[in-house]
Amino acid sequence: MAEITNYKYRVEPQDVDFTLRASAPSVVNYILNTAGLDAHNKGFGVEVLQRQSLSWVLSRLSVEIDSLPAQYDEFKVATWINEFNRLSSTRNFTLHDRSGMQFARAVSQWCMINIESRTVADMSSLEDTYRAAMVACPSPCGKPARIGAIDPQHHITRPVVYSDLDFNRHVNTLRYIEMIFNALPIERIERNEGMRIDINFIAEGRWGQTLDIGHATDGNRTNFEIKADDGRTLCRARVEWR
Amino acid sequence: MAEITNYKYRVEPQDVDFTLRASAPSVVNYILNTAGLDAHNKGFGVEVLQRQSLSWVLSRLSVEIDSLPAQYDEFKVATWINEFNRLSSTRNFTLHDRSGMQFARAVSQWCMINIESRTVADMSSLEDTYRAAMVACPSPCGKPARIGAIDPQHHITRPVVYSDLDFNRHVNTLRYIEMIFNALPIERIERNEGMRIDINFIAEGRWGQTLDIGHATDGNRTNFEIKADDGRTLCRARVEWR
């Protein structure tokens, strides 16, 4: 059995929004970078998987944010894996400020795909390395919810552009989070009284496509569905304010 | 007289594009962050200026990039100020990889504005602190060119969104650089054989506006003009490939 691993960061100028605090998308960015770095440090990073034509794919994510750190604040991301089977792995995160207060937490579910066939791969080949990295500690918040189709009240369309692309020429995970926040009322973001985000990643957006970002609000909840111009759903999400 | 100051960085996952190398906008981001950090360390950062209702504004920038570092590569940004008068200050940069090879360089020109009146301020009040930070070393490349109005062949329009905004609720400088790169042919970005970028920042884009990104290509040069929906020019730029 392994132990929870901690990574230290600082809120950089590019992370803050107009409130001079880290934006929620930048917090998600630190969470995802920590996942990549910790997988690398423990022997199952993308560069190891690529030798077997495999890659990690984030399938679902839940994030709860109570408050956001200010520019140049230092903070710590703790991460651990507590579930693993042939088809899915669960990685957890808690975020703490310098005084040790937990200000955010997250649960992510990953699968593995074969890069060539683009199909889901069996993770059994990683089992030995992976078991050694497991930590017997429960997830810090509710697992990512399954989000259903929505009947959007509003639509935004935008092309996939160069700065959206990851190394696979697919839309970077973080861009979906930005699209979601760009569609939310700015006043709500400004007075952030705490939120929970649930996201399901369903298919890959590609260079040359135009995306449709549909959303519908009911009270404190806004549901999102992002589709490609061929009608395929790429991503569904829900943001719930406290 | 002061000396050239060095800052160390590493190419993080969010900095790379689909080539798995740092994107040109992310290199510009490191350059601008270094300017902020060095000003802070030498006693004339934004937080000192704000007490006098003043702020730095980037007016022009030239950047030459020969090659781009790969993900997780370490690199160094050297910076120094070599010119200063009542209305403008020149800050220079050279970027070096771990072997010491210079792979990029930049010259930036800054003015100071009064935050309340939004008018250009006299920098004489900073003179003593500033003189002590000057370095008698020439700029590493040609100063930023003045870019004239253009007759665009192509237009892209897009609204100003939450993730564009800086702490003033104006469009973040870096977003203009991204808009420019998002309009360039992706094949040209992919085979990057070296480039020079000249940018003039003219007015501030604001929340609620829709931007028009016009561009025209002549051989190896593409000129850009970004306007707000009231017709005001916010930014002009030129990208020249080698």
Side-chain angles (χ1 to χ4, degrees):
Chain A
M1 273 291 171
E3 290 190 350
I4 293 175
T5 313
N6 288 289
Y7 294 87
K8 268 189 180 174
Y9 301 101
R10 196 180 71 157
V11 178
E12 301 297 336
Q14 68 270 27
D15 301 323
V16 305
D17 67 12
F18 65 89
T19 67
L20 271 174
R21 299 195 157 262
S23 68
S26 76
V27 168
V28 176
N29 187 39
Y30 282 107
I31 288 171
L32 298 180
N33 283 356
T34 303
L37 199 56
D38 193 59
H40 171 81
N41 290 345
K42 295 190 175 149
F44 41 86
V46 279
E47 70 297 340
V48 172
L49 268 60
Q50 270 169 1
R51 285 179 224 140
Q52 305 167 61
S53 296
L54 298 171
S55 187
W56 287 116
V57 171
L58 178 60
S59 57
R60 293 188 188 176
L61 178 69
S62 59
V63 187
E64 290 183 3
I65 300 176
D66 307 330
S67 61
L68 290 156
Q71 181 166 282
Y72 299 127
D73 277 359
E74 289 176 357
F75 63 99
K76 215 172 64 180
V77 181
T79 187
W80 69 99
I81 301 160
N82 64 352
E83 282 184 27
F84 166 72
N85 62 43
R86 278 194 322 118
L87 294 177
S88 173
S89 148
T90 303
R91 179 183 281 282
N92 306 284
F93 308 86
T94 52
L95 284 76
H96 306 262
D97 68 15
R98 283 191 75 171
S99 76
M101 191 191 70
Q102 189 184 117
F103 64 90
R105 59 209 68 83
V107 181
S108 60
Q109 295 173 324
W110 303 76
C111 62
M112 201 178 273
I113 58 156
N114 183 294
I115 299 167
E116 276 130 40
S117 64
R118 312 301 303 169
T119 53
V120 174
D122 186 324
M123 288 200 255
S124 308
S125 65
L126 270 189
E127 187 152 1
D128 292 346
T129 324
Y130 222 83
R131 290 254 170 250
M134 297 258 288
V135 177
C137 178
S139 293
C141 63
K143 294 204 172 142
R146 188 184 164 278
I147 316 281
I150 68 161
D151 185 17
Q153 297 158 338
H154 303 279
H155 291 271
I156 297 165
T157 58
R158 78 192 249 333
V160 174
V161 291
Y162 161 70
S163 61
D164 291 333
L165 300 180
D166 67 14
F167 61 94
N168 277 322
R169 293 197 185 217
H170 297 143
V171 176
N172 190 313
T173 304
L174 200 69
R175 293 292 174 254
Y176 294 111
I177 319 270
E178 285 184 357
M179 288 176 213
I180 289 163
F181 276 81
N182 286 341
L184 288 168
I186 202 164
E187 304 74 26
R188 204 76 208 241
I189 295 174
E190 183 170 17
R191 73 169 191 267
N192 177 20
E193 291 154 333
M195 68 181 94
R196 176 177 164 106
I197 313 163
D198 289 89
I199 315 171
N200 301 173
F201 298 98
I202 298 157
E204 293 149 336
R206 288 186 166 77
W207 168 248
Q209 290 178 327
T210 297
L211 306 185
D212 177 278
I213 303 138
H215 59 104
T217 298
D218 179 15
N220 279 336
R221 281 188 175 191
T222 304
N223 278 1
F224 290 86
E225 185 159 13
I226 302 177
K227 292 187 174 193
D229 39 16
D230 59 5
R232 287 228 298 175
T233 296
L234 307 179
C235 171
R236 289 193 188 119
R238 180 165 69 218
V239 177
E240 184 162 5
W241 305 95
R242 267 182 220 146
Chain B
M1 273 290 169
E3 289 189 352
I4 292 175
T5 313
N6 289 288
Y7 295 87
K8 269 188 181 173
Y9 300 101
R10 194 181 72 158
V11 178
E12 300 297 337
Q14 67 269 27
D15 301 323
V16 304
D17 67 13
F18 65 88
T19 68
L20 273 175
R21 300 195 155 263
S23 69
S26 76
V27 167
V28 175
N29 187 39
Y30 281 107
I31 288 171
L32 298 179
N33 283 356
T34 303
L37 199 56
D38 193 60
H40 171 80
N41 290 345
K42 294 188 175 150
F44 41 85
V46 279
E47 70 297 340
V48 171
L49 267 60
Q50 270 169 0
R51 284 179 225 141
Q52 304 167 61
S53 296
L54 298 171
S55 187
W56 287 116
V57 171
L58 178 60
S59 58
R60 291 187 190 176
L61 177 69
S62 59
V63 186
E64 290 182 3
I65 300 176
D66 307 332
S67 61
L68 290 157
Q71 182 164 283
Y72 299 128
D73 277 359
E74 289 178 357
F75 64 98
K76 216 172 63 178
V77 180
T79 187
W80 69 100
I81 301 159
N82 64 352
E83 283 184 26
F84 167 72
N85 63 44
R86 279 193 324 119
L87 295 177
S88 174
S89 148
T90 303
R91 178 182 282 281
N92 306 284
F93 308 86
T94 52
L95 284 76
H96 306 261
D97 67 16
R98 283 190 74 171
S99 75
M101 190 191 71
Q102 189 183 116
F103 64 89
R105 58 209 70 82
V107 182
S108 60
Q109 294 174 325
W110 301 77
C111 63
M112 201 177 275
I113 59 156
N114 184 295
I115 299 167
E116 276 129 40
S117 64
R118 311 299 305 170
T119 53
V120 175
D122 187 325
M123 287 199 257
S124 308
S125 65
L126 271 190
E127 187 150 2
D128 293 345
T129 324
Y130 221 84
R131 290 253 170 252
M134 298 261 286
V135 177
C137 179
S139 292
C141 64
K143 295 206 170 140
R146 189 185 162 280
I147 316 281
I150 67 160
D151 186 16
Q153 297 158 336
H154 303 280
H155 291 272
I156 297 165
T157 58
R158 77 190 248 335
V160 174
V161 291
Y162 161 69
S163 61
D164 291 333
L165 301 180
D166 66 14
F167 61 95
N168 277 322
R169 294 198 186 216
H170 297 144
V171 176
N172 190 313
T173 304
L174 200 67
R175 292 292 174 256
Y176 295 110
I177 319 271
E178 285 184 357
M179 288 175 213
I180 288 163
F181 275 81
N182 286 340
L184 287 169
I186 203 165
E187 304 76 25
R188 203 78 208 239
I189 294 174
E190 184 170 17
R191 70 169 195 267
N192 177 21
E193 292 156 331
M195 68 181 96
R196 176 176 163 104
I197 313 163
D198 289 89
I199 314 171
N200 301 174
F201 297 98
I202 298 157
E204 293 149 336
R206 287 187 168 76
W207 169 248
Q209 290 179 329
T210 296
L211 305 186
D212 176 281
I213 303 138
H215 59 103
T217 298
D218 180 15
N220 279 337
R221 281 186 175 193
T222 303
N223 279 353
F224 290 86
E225 185 157 12
I226 301 177
K227 293 186 174 193
D229 40 14
D230 60 4
R232 287 228 298 175
T233 296
L234 307 180
C235 172
R236 288 191 189 124
R238 181 166 66 217
V239 176
E240 185 163 5
W241 304 94
R242 266 182 222 145

